[in-house]
Amino acid sequence: MTDQQIITIRPGGPDDAATVLRLLDTATAWLAAQGRTGQWGTEPASADPRRIAQADAWAAGGGLYLAMLGDTAVGALVVGAATDYVPPATGPELYVNLLVADRTHAGRGIGARLLAYAADLARERGLGLLRVDCYGGDDRALVRFYESCGFTATDPFTVDRPGRQPWPGQVLERRLD
């Protein structure tokens, strides 16, 4: 394999917020082109002040990791504490706050590789639980993706959004050995 074919993972930092937004924008555009607007809508994250602030916080927060194909970021993972809209964990955990992969590199296992990296991080920290939440609407394809990576669906939830449709979510967990 050449270096361009090997996916490596590196820690992110404050200079990577624009990269996170680019990955979110391309994923949102891909989802919208598929008619799957329930997850992230249709507008680019890079045009939403709330998402820009979120990307800045993720990039500066110490939990950002980027999947690299050569010099190009093709995926992002953010780990940390659970979001306030999901039920609390039953014990110490590492929480996946963001997982996004560049769809132009679909089929390379980028998302699964980042989730395996998150599990390794949790184990290194002595944590036996990895949790994530995702969009649980439409055909639940995203839930099935996480299940294919060793997660088990636990708690469904709904995020109320004033002036918009409620957002159906699903918490999933993976017990680590």
Side-chain angles (χ1 to χ4, degrees), residues 77-78 82-83 86 93-99 115 129-134 142 146-147 151-155 157 169-174:
L77 166 75
V78 177
T83 53
V86 300
E93 70 174 343
L94 186 63
Y95 202 87
V96 175
N97 301 108
L98 174 70
L99 179 70
L115 288 172
L129 180 63
L130 183 64
R131 286 198 314 157
V132 64
D133 70 81
C134 70
L142 193 51
Y146 284 108
E147 289 173 335
F151 287 79
T152 301
T154 58
D155 302 298
F157 64 94
Q170 177 67 58
V171 177
L172 298 102
E173 69 178 26
R174 181 175 167 200

Tab-separated table of all heavy atoms in Angstrom, residues 77-78 82-83 86 93-99 115 129-134 142 146-147 151-155 157 169-174:
chain	number	residue	atom	x	y	z
A	77	LEU	N	-13.643	12.537	14.467
A	77	LEU	CA	-14.206	11.924	15.665
A	77	LEU	C	-14.006	12.913	16.800
A	77	LEU	O	-12.918	13.478	16.931
A	77	LEU	CB	-13.445	10.628	15.978
A	77	LEU	CG	-13.655	10.001	17.357
A	77	LEU	CD1	-15.020	9.325	17.430
A	77	LEU	CD2	-12.539	8.988	17.643
A	78	VAL	N	-15.051	13.128	17.585
A	78	VAL	CA	-14.924	13.918	18.806
A	78	VAL	C	-15.432	13.054	19.946
A	78	VAL	O	-16.541	12.507	19.878
A	78	VAL	CB	-15.718	15.239	18.744
A	78	VAL	CG1	-15.615	15.989	20.067
A	78	VAL	CG2	-15.225	16.116	17.601
A	82	ALA	N	-20.992	12.949	27.665
A	82	ALA	CA	-22.285	12.819	26.995
A	82	ALA	C	-22.989	14.165	26.915
A	82	ALA	O	-22.800	15.037	27.763
A	82	ALA	CB	-23.163	11.815	27.736
A	83	THR	N	-23.796	14.305	25.910
A	83	THR	CA	-24.611	15.503	25.756
A	83	THR	C	-25.737	15.488	26.786
A	83	THR	O	-26.114	14.422	27.294
A	83	THR	CB	-25.194	15.568	24.336
A	83	THR	OG1	-25.863	14.339	24.064
A	83	THR	CG2	-24.115	15.765	23.305
A	86	VAL	N	-29.289	13.218	26.459
A	86	VAL	CA	-29.387	11.759	26.491
A	86	VAL	C	-29.418	11.278	27.936
A	86	VAL	O	-28.895	11.939	28.831
A	86	VAL	CB	-28.225	11.081	25.728
A	86	VAL	CG1	-28.227	11.497	24.263
A	86	VAL	CG2	-26.888	11.347	26.367
A	93	GLU	N	-17.808	6.325	31.358
A	93	GLU	CA	-17.880	6.109	29.919
A	93	GLU	C	-17.028	7.111	29.164
A	93	GLU	O	-16.637	8.149	29.695
A	93	GLU	CB	-19.324	6.262	29.435
A	93	GLU	CG	-19.804	7.712	29.495
A	93	GLU	CD	-21.181	7.938	28.879
A	93	GLU	OE1	-21.676	7.095	28.127
A	93	GLU	OE2	-21.757	8.996	29.169
A	94	LEU	N	-16.798	6.802	27.893
A	94	LEU	CA	-16.321	7.762	26.912
A	94	LEU	C	-17.459	7.910	25.920
A	94	LEU	O	-18.078	6.917	25.523
A	94	LEU	CB	-15.049	7.269	26.219
A	94	LEU	CG	-14.388	8.272	25.269
A	94	LEU	CD1	-13.922	9.527	26.025
A	94	LEU	CD2	-13.208	7.635	24.554
A	95	TYR	N	-17.758	9.149	25.539
A	95	TYR	CA	-18.907	9.419	24.679
A	95	TYR	C	-18.433	9.941	23.330
A	95	TYR	O	-17.564	10.820	23.270
A	95	TYR	CB	-19.826	10.450	25.340
A	95	TYR	CG	-21.231	10.406	24.810
A	95	TYR	CD1	-22.161	9.535	25.361
A	95	TYR	CD2	-21.634	11.208	23.755
A	95	TYR	CE1	-23.458	9.470	24.877
A	95	TYR	CE2	-22.926	11.155	23.265
A	95	TYR	CZ	-23.827	10.278	23.825
A	95	TYR	OH	-25.117	10.210	23.342
A	96	VAL	N	-18.986	9.412	22.268
A	96	VAL	CA	-18.699	9.898	20.923
A	96	VAL	C	-19.657	11.058	20.649
A	96	VAL	O	-20.861	10.861	20.524
A	96	VAL	CB	-18.875	8.783	19.867
A	96	VAL	CG1	-18.702	9.341	18.458
A	96	VAL	CG2	-17.892	7.646	20.126
A	97	ASN	N	-19.103	12.267	20.583
A	97	ASN	CA	-19.904	13.462	20.338
A	97	ASN	C	-20.094	13.743	18.853
A	97	ASN	O	-21.056	14.408	18.468
A	97	ASN	CB	-19.260	14.686	20.992
A	97	ASN	CG	-19.114	14.517	22.481
A	97	ASN	OD1	-17.999	14.344	22.966
A	97	ASN	ND2	-20.202	14.536	23.214
A	98	LEU	N	-19.154	13.281	18.038
A	98	LEU	CA	-19.247	13.488	16.592
A	98	LEU	C	-18.500	12.377	15.889
A	98	LEU	O	-17.399	11.993	16.296
A	98	LEU	CB	-18.616	14.831	16.183
A	98	LEU	CG	-18.532	15.074	14.657
A	98	LEU	CD1	-19.913	15.311	14.059
A	98	LEU	CD2	-17.601	16.236	14.342
A	99	LEU	N	-19.109	11.889	14.833
A	99	LEU	CA	-18.451	10.984	13.895
A	99	LEU	C	-18.923	11.400	12.513
A	99	LEU	O	-20.134	11.412	12.248
A	99	LEU	CB	-18.826	9.521	14.168
A	99	LEU	CG	-18.201	8.516	13.201
A	99	LEU	CD1	-16.701	8.405	13.443
A	99	LEU	CD2	-18.866	7.155	13.336
A	115	LEU	N	-14.356	4.675	15.076
A	115	LEU	CA	-15.026	4.096	16.247
A	115	LEU	C	-14.112	3.094	16.964
A	115	LEU	O	-14.120	3.034	18.200
A	115	LEU	CB	-16.338	3.424	15.842
A	115	LEU	CG	-17.458	4.384	15.458
A	115	LEU	CD1	-18.647	3.609	14.897
A	115	LEU	CD2	-17.877	5.246	16.636
A	129	LEU	N	-17.069	1.451	28.891
A	129	LEU	CA	-18.290	1.765	28.152
A	129	LEU	C	-18.019	2.878	27.157
A	129	LEU	O	-17.438	3.911	27.501
A	129	LEU	CB	-19.393	2.192	29.124
A	129	LEU	CG	-20.747	2.570	28.522
A	129	LEU	CD1	-21.389	1.383	27.802
A	129	LEU	CD2	-21.680	3.096	29.609
A	130	LEU	N	-18.439	2.660	25.913
A	130	LEU	CA	-18.388	3.662	24.855
A	130	LEU	C	-19.823	3.871	24.387
A	130	LEU	O	-20.514	2.904	24.062
A	130	LEU	CB	-17.517	3.162	23.698
A	130	LEU	CG	-17.303	4.112	22.523
A	130	LEU	CD1	-16.545	5.360	22.963
A	130	LEU	CD2	-16.537	3.390	21.405
A	131	ARG	N	-20.268	5.121	24.429
A	131	ARG	CA	-21.635	5.407	23.969
A	131	ARG	C	-21.610	6.463	22.880
A	131	ARG	O	-20.670	7.244	22.756
A	131	ARG	CB	-22.520	5.908	25.116
A	131	ARG	CG	-22.930	4.848	26.089
A	131	ARG	CD	-24.122	5.231	26.967
A	131	ARG	NE	-24.035	6.568	27.532
A	131	ARG	CZ	-25.096	7.284	27.941
A	131	ARG	NH1	-26.308	6.789	27.877
A	131	ARG	NH2	-24.929	8.496	28.449
A	132	VAL	N	-22.692	6.485	22.123
A	132	VAL	CA	-22.879	7.444	21.038
A	132	VAL	C	-24.379	7.648	20.871
A	132	VAL	O	-25.179	6.778	21.246
A	132	VAL	CB	-22.244	6.911	19.718
A	132	VAL	CG1	-22.932	5.643	19.242
A	132	VAL	CG2	-22.234	7.973	18.629
A	133	ASP	N	-24.758	8.792	20.345
A	133	ASP	CA	-26.147	8.944	19.915
A	133	ASP	C	-26.134	9.333	18.448
A	133	ASP	O	-25.139	9.840	17.934
A	133	ASP	CB	-26.915	9.958	20.773
A	133	ASP	CG	-26.470	11.390	20.571
A	133	ASP	OD1	-26.915	12.019	19.580
A	133	ASP	OD2	-25.700	11.893	21.413
A	134	CYS	N	-27.238	9.047	17.791
A	134	CYS	CA	-27.320	9.356	16.372
A	134	CYS	C	-28.769	9.611	15.988
A	134	CYS	O	-29.691	9.396	16.770
A	134	CYS	CB	-26.743	8.214	15.532
A	134	CYS	SG	-27.731	6.696	15.517
A	142	LEU	N	-28.494	4.731	10.014
A	142	LEU	CA	-27.353	5.106	10.847
A	142	LEU	C	-27.283	4.234	12.102
A	142	LEU	O	-26.199	3.834	12.529
A	142	LEU	CB	-27.431	6.591	11.208
A	142	LEU	CG	-26.182	7.215	11.807
A	142	LEU	CD1	-24.938	6.948	10.977
A	142	LEU	CD2	-26.397	8.710	11.991
A	146	TYR	N	-24.045	1.742	13.308
A	146	TYR	CA	-23.422	1.613	14.626
A	146	TYR	C	-23.544	0.183	15.165
A	146	TYR	O	-22.605	-0.337	15.761
A	146	TYR	CB	-24.010	2.617	15.616
A	146	TYR	CG	-23.488	4.019	15.401
A	146	TYR	CD1	-24.294	5.010	14.865
A	146	TYR	CD2	-22.178	4.356	15.724
A	146	TYR	CE1	-23.816	6.292	14.659
A	146	TYR	CE2	-21.683	5.630	15.520
A	146	TYR	CZ	-22.507	6.596	14.984
A	146	TYR	OH	-22.017	7.855	14.784
A	147	GLU	N	-24.674	-0.445	14.927
A	147	GLU	CA	-24.831	-1.838	15.361
A	147	GLU	C	-23.815	-2.738	14.650
A	147	GLU	O	-23.257	-3.654	15.265
A	147	GLU	CB	-26.262	-2.309	15.119
A	147	GLU	CG	-27.250	-1.663	16.071
A	147	GLU	CD	-28.706	-1.970	15.763
A	147	GLU	OE1	-29.040	-2.284	14.599
A	147	GLU	OE2	-29.521	-1.878	16.703
A	151	PHE	N	-22.101	-1.854	18.459
A	151	PHE	CA	-22.935	-1.121	19.414
A	151	PHE	C	-24.314	-1.758	19.512
A	151	PHE	O	-24.780	-2.409	18.571
A	151	PHE	CB	-23.084	0.339	18.985
A	151	PHE	CG	-21.850	1.169	19.187
A	151	PHE	CD1	-20.800	1.106	18.287
A	151	PHE	CD2	-21.741	2.012	20.280
A	151	PHE	CE1	-19.653	1.861	18.465
A	151	PHE	CE2	-20.598	2.777	20.473
A	151	PHE	CZ	-19.551	2.702	19.564
A	152	THR	N	-24.965	-1.549	20.644
A	152	THR	CA	-26.320	-2.024	20.882
A	152	THR	C	-27.210	-0.812	21.160
A	152	THR	O	-26.867	0.025	22.006
A	152	THR	CB	-26.355	-2.968	22.105
A	152	THR	OG1	-25.482	-4.067	21.841
A	152	THR	CG2	-27.758	-3.474	22.373
A	153	ALA	N	-28.331	-0.735	20.469
A	153	ALA	CA	-29.272	0.363	20.701
A	153	ALA	C	-29.857	0.236	22.104
A	153	ALA	O	-30.243	-0.856	22.521
A	153	ALA	CB	-30.380	0.348	19.656
A	154	THR	N	-29.896	1.357	22.830
A	154	THR	CA	-30.438	1.345	24.185
A	154	THR	C	-31.633	2.291	24.284
A	154	THR	O	-32.757	1.843	24.175
A	154	THR	CB	-29.356	1.696	25.227
A	154	THR	OG1	-28.806	2.972	24.926
A	154	THR	CG2	-28.262	0.649	25.264
A	155	ASP	N	-31.389	3.565	24.459
A	155	ASP	CA	-32.450	4.524	24.739
A	155	ASP	C	-32.794	5.399	23.540
A	155	ASP	O	-31.970	6.199	23.106
A	155	ASP	CB	-32.015	5.453	25.883
A	155	ASP	CG	-31.671	4.687	27.150
A	155	ASP	OD1	-32.581	4.023	27.668
A	155	ASP	OD2	-30.511	4.752	27.595
A	157	PHE	N	-34.678	8.711	22.123
A	157	PHE	CA	-35.010	9.998	22.727
A	157	PHE	C	-35.457	10.937	21.620
A	157	PHE	O	-35.301	10.652	20.431
A	157	PHE	CB	-33.813	10.583	23.496
A	157	PHE	CG	-32.639	10.910	22.623
A	157	PHE	CD1	-32.459	12.191	22.106
A	157	PHE	CD2	-31.696	9.941	22.306
A	157	PHE	CE1	-31.380	12.485	21.293
A	157	PHE	CE2	-30.609	10.230	21.493
A	157	PHE	CZ	-30.450	11.506	20.980
A	169	GLY	N	-33.777	10.663	18.118
A	169	GLY	CA	-32.428	10.176	18.338
A	169	GLY	C	-32.416	8.781	18.945
A	169	GLY	O	-33.431	8.290	19.450
A	170	GLN	N	-31.263	8.172	18.884
A	170	GLN	CA	-31.074	6.837	19.438
A	170	GLN	C	-29.705	6.801	20.115
A	170	GLN	O	-28.695	7.150	19.505
A	170	GLN	CB	-31.115	5.786	18.334
A	170	GLN	CG	-30.847	4.365	18.790
A	170	GLN	CD	-31.956	3.839	19.678
A	170	GLN	OE1	-33.107	3.784	19.284
A	170	GLN	NE2	-31.617	3.467	20.909
A	171	VAL	N	-29.683	6.383	21.384
A	171	VAL	CA	-28.416	6.139	22.084
A	171	VAL	C	-28.022	4.690	21.826
A	171	VAL	O	-28.866	3.793	21.847
A	171	VAL	CB	-28.550	6.405	23.606
A	171	VAL	CG1	-27.241	6.075	24.318
A	171	VAL	CG2	-28.964	7.840	23.859
A	172	LEU	N	-26.742	4.498	21.604
A	172	LEU	CA	-26.187	3.155	21.455
A	172	LEU	C	-24.982	3.032	22.368
A	172	LEU	O	-24.325	4.039	22.676
A	172	LEU	CB	-25.757	2.889	20.015
A	172	LEU	CG	-26.881	2.934	18.981
A	172	LEU	CD1	-26.865	4.249	18.231
A	172	LEU	CD2	-26.773	1.769	18.021
A	173	GLU	N	-24.708	1.809	22.819
A	173	GLU	CA	-23.549	1.591	23.673
A	173	GLU	C	-22.776	0.376	23.218
A	173	GLU	O	-23.318	-0.528	22.590
A	173	GLU	CB	-23.965	1.450	25.149
A	173	GLU	CG	-24.724	0.183	25.461
A	173	GLU	CD	-25.078	0.060	26.931
A	173	GLU	OE1	-25.200	1.092	27.630
A	173	GLU	OE2	-25.227	-1.082	27.386
A	174	ARG	N	-21.508	0.401	23.575
A	174	ARG	CA	-20.641	-0.740	23.324
A	174	ARG	C	-19.861	-0.999	24.600
A	174	ARG	O	-19.139	-0.133	25.085
A	174	ARG	CB	-19.683	-0.440	22.165
A	174	ARG	CG	-18.779	-1.599	21.854
A	174	ARG	CD	-17.927	-1.333	20.638
A	174	ARG	NE	-16.883	-2.346	20.574
A	174	ARG	CZ	-15.767	-2.216	19.888
A	174	ARG	NH1	-15.551	-1.128	19.191
A	174	ARG	NH2	-14.875	-3.166	19.914
